Amino acid sequence: MKLFLFGIGGTGARVLRSLTMLLASGANVPSDLTIIPILLDMDMQNGDTERALRLVELYRSLRTAGYPNGPQDRNGTNGGTKRPFFGTSLQPLGTLQAENAQQQIGDSVLPKLTDHQGTFEEFLNVSSMEEIDREFLKLLYDNSAKPTNAELKLNLSVGFKGNPNIGSVVFNALEDSPVYKYFISAFNDQTDRIFVISSIFGGTGSAGFPQLVKLLQHPSQKMPIRNAKKGAVTVMPYFALEENSQSAIDQNRFLSKTKAALSYYQSQIDLDALYYIGDRPGAKLYPNVEGGAKQANNAHVVEMLAAEAVLDFARRGPGEFSSDKRYLEYGLRRNDRSLDLAHFGDVTYQNLLEPMVRFTYAAKFYTDFVPNNLSEAFAKELNLPQTLRSGTFYTSLDNFINAYKTWLRELAVNDRSFAPFDLESDFNGLIRSKRIETSFFSKGISEGFLQEAAGKAQNNLKAAFPTNEARFMQLLMEVADKCIEKLGPLNRQLADA
C-alpha cells in the first residue's frame, strides 16, 4: 500500500522530520507500506524543510544499504512482530512510474510548486490590470508602505507569513502545477491512500489544506483519487513567538484564525478521518522568523504525535472507515508539562515508544560502545576498524544518529517537554523512569554484557545477510533487544502528583 503524504508549509516539514525519526526506530506500521512524502511550500530555503529533506535522504540511503534484499519483520518478545530499523520505504514522488506524465519533477521530496519568485503583486500580474481592478485589489489587500503590512508587496519566496488569504489565491494554481499533474499520473492503485499534514493557524498550511482537499474530491478527478481513503492531521496552535515588530507574522491572530478555520472545516471538509492536535503554548518562546534558512524550530511533542496520526491512519483496515466523518483527538493520561513514557496510553507505547526505546539503546551502542571496541571479534569480522570512520554507510549512520539525538534533546527542553531518555547517562540509566540496578554480582548493561551480546549476534548473522552493512544493521537490533530484556518491564503507572 502506498500512502501519498502531503506536508504543507513549515508544520508539514516539522512533522515529516518527526515521522522519519519514528520510522527509523521501527514504529509499528503495515509491512507493505510505502510512504510518498510530498512537501508543498513556496519557501524553498526554509530551515525546517531543509532538515527534513536531509533526514529523508539519510534514511533512504541507510535503508538501501542495510537491506539489499528488503527488510523483514522480526519476532516480538511477547508475540506478534517488530518492525526493523529503517524498515518502511520512503519514496519521493518523482521516482514513481507515472502514466502520461508530461513533465518530470525530479526526485526531491520538495518539488517546486511554482516558478514564481517575486511578490504577490507580481504573481497577480497587477501591472497589466485595468485601473479599476487595481483599485479593487487595494480594497481587498493591504498595500501599505510598511513592509510588514503590505500584503501586495509580500515576497512569496519565503511563504505567506501567516496570511491564508494570500496563500489560498496561490494554491488555486495547484491543479496546473507539475507536481500535482505528476501525482495524478502516478496514483493508480485502488488500495493507495492520501494523507495531508497542515497547520490551521499559519499561512501556507491553513490556505493549502482546504484547497488541496477540494481539488482531490472534485468530480473531475479520476476515480482512484476520488475513491481513495483520505485523512489529515490539523495542527492547532501549540507554541508562542517572541515579539518582533519587523515580522509580518502576528501570533495574536492565531486563535481567531483557528476558530474561523474550524468552522469552515466542519461544513466544507469531508474526509474519512480528520485528526486534531494542539497544545497550550508554554513559557518557551520560538524566534519570530518569517521564513528562510533561519526558521528552524526546536522539535515539539505535538509534532511527534501528529506524525503518529499519519501512522495510525496507515494502520487502520478498510473496514475501520465508516461513511460518516470521523474526528479524532489526542489526549494524555495526565496534563503535566513534563512528559515521560507513562503519560501515554498503551497503544501509543506499543506502536511508537517501545520502538524508540529500542532505537535509543542501539544509537547509544553505536556511538558510545562500538568505537572503543574495534579490537573485538565482532568488529573485525564486520571490517569496522577500516570502515567505521570512512565508509559511506557509517558516515550516513553517524549523521542520522546525531540528528536523532538532537531531536530528542530538543523534545526534552521544549515546553511541553518530552524527556524519557538521559542521553548523558550510562546504559543502565538511559531510561529515566527505570534505572537498571547494579551490584557486585550484576553489572547490568556493562561493557562485558555488550561485548557478549555483539559477539553472539555476529555469529548468528554470518551466513544470513549478504553484506557487512546488512549484518551490522541486524546486529544493532539484536543488541538493542538484549538491552530491552535486561531493562525488563517498565512501570508505566503515573505517580501521584
Side-chain angles (χ1 to χ4, degrees):
M1 178 183 73
K2 293 191 291 293
L3 177 63
F4 290 81
L5 179 64
F6 289 93
I8 306 178
T11 300
R14 290 190 291 275
V15 173
L16 178 59
R17 181 190 181 204
S18 287
L19 177 65
T20 307
M21 299 298 188
L22 301 182
L23 294 175
S25 72
N28 179 30
V29 294
S31 59
D32 66 341
L33 178 66
T34 294
I35 295 178
I36 316 297
I38 308 164
L39 293 179
L40 299 179
D41 202 346
M42 293 290 291
D43 187 359
M44 304 291 284
Q45 307 302 319
N46 185 279
D48 287 321
T49 302
E50 193 275 333
R51 286 188 307 187
L53 294 174
R54 185 170 67 248
L55 201 65
V56 169
E57 285 306 307
L58 286 172
Y59 180 104
R60 295 183 65 221
S61 67
L62 289 167
R63 186 176 186 277
T64 299
Y67 306 108
N69 297 327
Q72 298 292 325
D73 285 352
R74 303 156 61 242
N75 293 328
T77 54
N78 298 314
T81 58
K82 292 183 293 189
R83 294 292 290 149
F85 299 153
F86 303 94
T88 300
S89 175
L90 287 175
Q91 189 170 352
L93 176 64
T95 63
L96 299 181
Q97 288 188 342
E99 299 177 2
N100 304 318
Q102 298 179 353
Q103 183 176 346
Q104 296 300 310
I105 60 170
D107 61 358
S108 174
V109 172
L110 180 68
K112 188 179 291 187
L113 190 57
T114 173
D115 289 327
H116 181 76
Q117 295 293 313
T119 65
F120 183 47
E121 184 177 51
E122 291 166 342
F123 179 84
L124 295 173
N125 204 14
V126 172
S127 61
S128 65
M129 291 181 178
E130 298 289 339
E131 183 176 357
I132 189 172
D133 294 327
R134 290 199 297 270
E135 293 302 315
F136 181 66
L137 275 179
K138 293 177 183 178
L139 296 176
L140 294 176
Y141 298 100
D142 190 338
N143 197 35
S144 167
K146 292 184 177 180
T148 58
N149 295 330
E151 293 175 327
L152 287 175
K153 298 295 191 295
L154 182 71
N155 186 346
L156 298 182
S157 66
V158 292
F160 307 125
K161 300 183 181 180
N163 295 287
N165 56 326
I166 294 175
S168 60
V169 175
V170 176
F171 270 100
N172 263 327
L174 177 62
E175 184 175 14
D176 296 322
S177 68
V179 57
Y180 191 78
K181 289 180 178 179
Y182 200 94
F183 159 73
I184 292 173
S185 298
F187 196 103
N188 294 303
D189 197 316
Q190 297 287 347
T191 65
D192 292 346
R193 298 180 182 180
I194 300 169
F195 198 89
V196 184
I197 305 166
S198 68
S199 71
I200 202 172
F201 58 94
T204 306
S206 56
F209 171 55
Q211 296 288 82
L212 176 59
V213 171
K214 182 171 65 175
L215 187 55
L216 292 168
Q217 296 172 334
H218 196 273
S220 64
Q221 297 295 332
K222 64 184 184 181
M223 291 305 294
I225 292 177
R226 289 171 58 190
N227 293 337
K229 297 300 181 186
K230 303 179 187 70
V233 58
T234 294
V235 181
M236 297 181 288
Y238 64 100
F239 59 82
L241 299 172
E242 296 173 347
E243 289 294 330
N244 182 358
S245 60
Q246 300 303 308
S247 173
I249 301 174
D250 183 4
Q251 68 175 335
N252 295 318
R253 297 167 57 198
F254 282 1
L255 289 179
S256 60
K257 288 193 293 185
T258 298
K259 291 177 181 178
L262 286 173
S263 176
Y264 177 82
Y265 288 5
Q266 184 177 15
S267 61
Q268 300 295 324
I269 299 297
D270 185 15
L271 296 168
D272 295 288
L274 183 53
Y275 298 76
Y276 286 106
I277 191 165
D279 196 13
R280 176 175 59 82
K284 186 178 288 293
L285 302 180
Y286 283 24
N288 192 335
V289 179
E290 293 180 346
K294 292 183 178 180
Q295 189 177 74
N297 296 338
N298 278 353
H300 195 287
V301 68
V302 162
E303 297 154 7
M304 185 186 82
L305 293 174
E308 165 59 3
V310 179
L311 303 182
D312 179 82
F313 180 77
R315 286 191 293 263
R316 292 180 181 271
E320 296 184 61
F321 298 101
S322 64
S323 58
D324 298 326
K325 294 180 182 180
R326 189 180 182 106
Y327 301 100
L328 304 101
E329 297 179 325
Y330 195 89
L332 299 168
R333 283 181 166 175
R334 193 169 67 201
N335 187 25
D336 294 333
R337 295 306 297 178
S338 181
L339 306 179
D340 205 334
L341 299 174
H343 284 84
F344 300 85
D346 292 341
V347 173
T348 302
Y349 180 77
Q350 293 162 7
N351 288 332
L352 203 72
L353 302 180
E354 187 176 28
M356 282 180 63
V357 171
R358 181 176 292 104
F359 189 68
T360 306
Y361 271 123
K364 191 169 186 66
F365 171 78
Y366 177 71
T367 58
D368 294 10
F369 176 81
V370 172
N372 299 320
N373 287 269
L374 294 179
S375 61
E376 292 293 314
F378 81 90
K380 291 179 179 178
E381 293 206 33
L382 290 171
N383 201 32
L384 293 180
Q386 288 72 40
T387 59
L388 186 65
R389 293 305 176 209
S390 59
T392 301
F393 172 82
Y394 298 103
T395 299
S396 296
L397 189 57
D398 271 340
N399 291 336
F400 193 97
I401 287 178
N402 287 334
Y404 176 73
K405 289 184 174 182
T406 297
W407 179 71
L408 289 178
R409 291 188 178 101
E410 290 175 7
L411 289 171
V413 301
N414 217 323
D415 186 9
R416 177 181 320 251
S417 70
F418 175 52
F421 308 113
D422 183 356
L423 298 178
E424 311 309 318
S425 175
D426 61 10
F427 281 86
N428 294 314
L430 181 62
I431 311 304
R432 290 185 187 273
S433 58
K434 184 181 181 181
R435 180 172 182 85
I436 299 173
E437 297 299 329
T438 60
S439 66
F440 179 80
F441 299 101
S442 175
K443 303 301 182 184
I445 303 178
S446 63
E447 184 172 283
F449 174 90
L450 294 171
Q451 289 170 346
E452 181 180 0
K456 287 182 177 179
Q458 170 57 20
N459 288 334
N460 294 335
L461 298 170
K462 279 183 181 179
F465 297 93
T467 65
N468 284 338
E469 291 81 4
R471 284 192 285 273
F472 187 73
M473 187 75 84
Q474 298 296 321
L475 183 141
L476 286 179
M477 291 185 282
E478 296 281 348
V479 171
D481 284 342
K482 292 298 182 184
C483 293
I484 292 280
E485 289 178 17
K486 178 64 73 172
L487 177 69
L490 290 174
N491 178 11
R492 299 193 57 250
Q493 299 300 314
L494 286 167
D496 293 336

